[in-house]
Amino acid sequence: MRTLATGVAALACSLALTGGTAVAAAGGIPKYKVPTIFGTTFQADPGHDFTKGLHSRRNGILRGWITAVSADGTAEYEPIKWKKDKHTEGFFVGPPEGDVTAYASPIAKKVVFLSAFGCDSSGGNMTVDRRTGLGNKSCSRSALIKWAKAGERPSLITVHKGQIVKVQEIFTP
């Protein structure tokens, strides 16, 4: 019984230290809470000071899109939200013009990029999990950078320790 109590206490301590997330076995990246994919509000980043220039978002998953990638592999990205439309199902939008809600983080060397349209930027092959609407085709870091430069594409962007470690494209017809 004492061993069980010690194990429960150790687990509780571990969860408190990781913010209530379970650490993934591969790579040591915590499993962060996934936001609502078609959420209609921008995700908050409490405590982030946008007046201090572009810098990394806190650890977690952001529903957003990459707006630029520099030569050194740093990506600028911003939150997005789903906007319902009278004539279509809707579409994603970023912050309004003049809003400074944006971030910048280096793209990790071993970033996981899961595309919804294949690894080339042409978007010819649909590679999406039909249950979740998220990309499931694993592509290289260079494919991600090329993909990001082709235009703003809705994604779930995972940031861990100041780096982008995973980008999973959201399928939008």
Side-chain angles (χ1 to χ4, degrees):
M1 190 66 155
R2 183 179 203 116
T3 305
L4 178 61
T6 304
V8 171
L11 177 61
C13 182
S14 172
L15 288 174
L17 290 173
T18 60
T21 59
V23 176
I29 299 169
K31 184 177 179 182
Y32 296 111
K33 183 179 183 218
V34 177
T36 304
I37 295 171
F38 292 95
T40 56
T41 59
F42 293 116
Q43 289 172 256
D45 192 8
H48 190 92
D49 188 351
F50 292 101
T51 65
K52 297 193 181 207
L54 291 176
H55 58 283
S56 188
R57 187 180 197 288
R58 65 187 161 93
N59 290 346
I61 301 174
L62 174 72
R63 180 185 56 252
W65 51 36
I66 296 174
T67 57
V69 179
S70 66
D72 70 353
T74 298
E76 293 181 17
Y77 52 103
E78 63 186 20
I80 59 173
K81 68 179 182 177
W82 185 253
K83 183 173 181 176
K84 295 180 181 179
D85 186 43
K86 184 176 181 179
H87 303 288
T88 66
E89 290 181 36
F91 51 94
F92 283 104
V93 296
E97 189 70 33
D99 189 310
V100 295
T101 308
Y103 309 94
S105 301
I107 299 172
K109 296 292 182 205
K110 293 186 177 183
V111 66
V112 174
F113 170 41
L114 300 171
S115 173
F117 296 99
C119 294
D120 64 6
S121 58
S122 69
N125 301 323
M126 202 167 100
T127 54
V128 64
D129 180 327
R130 294 183 191 279
R131 185 180 50 82
T132 64
L134 297 171
N136 63 8
K137 173 70 175 169
S138 183
C139 303
S140 68
R141 182 179 188 270
S142 61
L144 168 61
I145 292 171
K146 186 176 180 182
W147 170 89
K149 289 180 178 180
E152 298 166 342
R153 298 198 184 168
S155 305
L156 296 181
I157 302 168
T158 304
V159 176
H160 181 68
K161 294 185 179 178
Q163 292 189 354
I164 295 174
V165 296
K166 183 177 180 182
V167 176
Q168 190 167 19
E169 187 175 11
I170 300 170
F171 174 76
T172 54

